[in-house]
Amino acid sequence: MATTVAVIQKPPVLLQRDATLQRMLDAVDEAAGAGATLLVFPEAYIPGYPTWIWRLAPGGDMALTSELHARLRENAVDLGGDTLAPIQEAAARHGVTLVTGLNEIDSRYSGTTLFNSVVVIGPDGRLLNRHRKLMPTNPERMVWGMGDASGLKVVETPAGRLGTLICWESYMPLARYALYAQDLEVFINPTWDSSDIALASLRHIAREGGCWVIGRSTALRGSDIPASFPERDRLYTPEEWVNVGNAVVIAPSGEVVAGPLDREKGILYAEIEVETARRARRSLDVCGHYARPDIFSLSVNRNPQPPVVFTEA
């Protein structure tokens, strides 16, 4: 049975969580109205990817960096609260599976550290999985902490068995293999990287894993950044494309079947079929008949890695 996928690359309202959530609700209504039942949003979508880290100097722009980080922290998502309730209710109302990136705040321990996370919300509105990016990329390490493997899971959805890696995690062979070994059928890569090299990598993953691949970046122009953004006009020009988007859907053969959606703030639609993934693994199944467990082995520590463990006397 085919599933209609909606890959949403409309920009968030940068550093404004509630406004971004409303924009998501509008997109959910639009995509569900078009018949989509699997909806995918970009990396760190709530309240937006911290694109400024690629433009600010580590020393000379420290004050501005501090102010922007404070605003990001104030607008981050506490998964222990009810911030995502409107999105979960919308998913349940429309009966859709929803995948979105977000800036997650650690409210349990430090109350301050942020994580680059992706969540999967099921068609009943339940949170099916939360994965934190294992290794933030380059200057991202000044924004986000490192995640653990407690969310390195594939979950059952009406669209198929679905797993996620964020941006350059897709370059981590062992992380990919950990998902392949869980009967992965749909691989979702919320990302900031909209390059041709990233597209080539996603095509390779589709062929390697025998799975559908959905790649998502954010289509963002300078004019989309709110006027309240500190020193906006120094960092961005209204007409520039900060990110061109390039949403894409790739079949298990490695063939691009939809997109890339370039320089367009819209929704990319495609149909995917789980059976196609299963047939692709007849000739190449890297965790099945192509595996050599007598030679290679992989161990994944899924235990959460809290900074402190309290014991009672």
Side-chain angles (χ1 to χ4, degrees), residues 27-275:
V28 170
D29 288 344
E30 179 182 346
T37 55
L38 174 58
L39 281 55
V40 182
F41 288 86
E43 177 180 10
Y45 191 73
I46 311 171
Y49 181 89
T51 176
W52 59 86
I53 61 177
W54 301 95
R55 302 197 178 196
L56 296 180
D61 290 314
M62 190 64 72
L64 179 55
T65 297
S66 180
E67 174 61 25
L68 289 168
H69 189 274
R71 296 192 186 196
L72 184 63
R73 174 173 45 81
E74 291 164 1
N75 285 273
V77 175
D78 175 7
L79 290 179
D82 60 357
T83 304
L84 293 184
I87 301 301
Q88 293 175 269
E89 291 165 3
R93 183 169 64 254
H94 291 292
V96 301
T97 302
L98 189 150
V99 181
T100 186
L102 52 85
N103 291 270
E104 180 193 356
I105 190 165
D106 171 20
S107 61
R108 183 174 181 183
Y109 296 106
S110 76
T112 300
T113 290
L114 303 178
F115 294 94
N116 181 342
S117 300
V118 58
V119 296
V120 181
I121 298 170
D124 59 358
R126 289 188 306 114
L127 188 68
L128 300 182
N129 196 36
R130 183 278 317 272
H131 170 62
R132 290 174 171 174
K133 193 172 188 178
L134 299 173
M135 178 56 68
T137 304
N138 296 335
E140 292 178 356
R141 293 170 202 163
M142 298 297 291
V143 178
W144 295 309
M146 290 185 289
D148 57 35
S150 59
L152 196 61
K153 297 176 181 178
V154 170
V155 295
E156 192 74 46
T157 76
R161 293 185 55 77
L162 186 152
T164 64
L165 290 176
I166 304 169
C167 201
W168 279 20
E169 283 187 311
S170 63
Y171 291 141
M172 300 173 70
L174 301 185
R176 297 200 307 267
Y177 197 85
L179 294 184
Y180 298 156
Q182 298 173 63
D183 190 12
L184 177 71
E185 294 167 335
V186 183
F187 174 81
I188 295 181
N189 183 230
T191 182
W192 185 249
D193 189 347
S194 56
S195 68
D196 291 341
I197 293 175
L199 175 59
S201 296
L202 294 182
R203 293 187 66 186
H204 167 85
I205 290 168
R207 183 71 179 97
E208 178 182 67
C211 56
W212 289 93
V213 171
I214 302 170
R216 275 297 302 109
S217 191
T218 299
L220 182 72
R221 298 195 78 171
S223 57
D224 295 314
I225 298 174
S228 59
F229 187 95
E231 299 192 37
R232 179 191 66 173
D233 295 340
R234 175 170 76 88
L235 297 176
Y236 305 98
T237 59
E239 67 278 2
E240 72 169 299
W241 281 96
V242 183
N243 197 308
V244 299
N246 277 347
V248 67
V249 178
I250 304 168
S253 63
E255 176 189 1
V256 175
V257 297
L261 193 63
D262 179 71
R263 293 175 175 85
E264 184 175 339
K265 293 177 282 187
I267 301 178
L268 178 71
Y269 294 96
E271 286 198 350
I272 66 173
E273 171 59 68
V274 167
E275 177 63 18

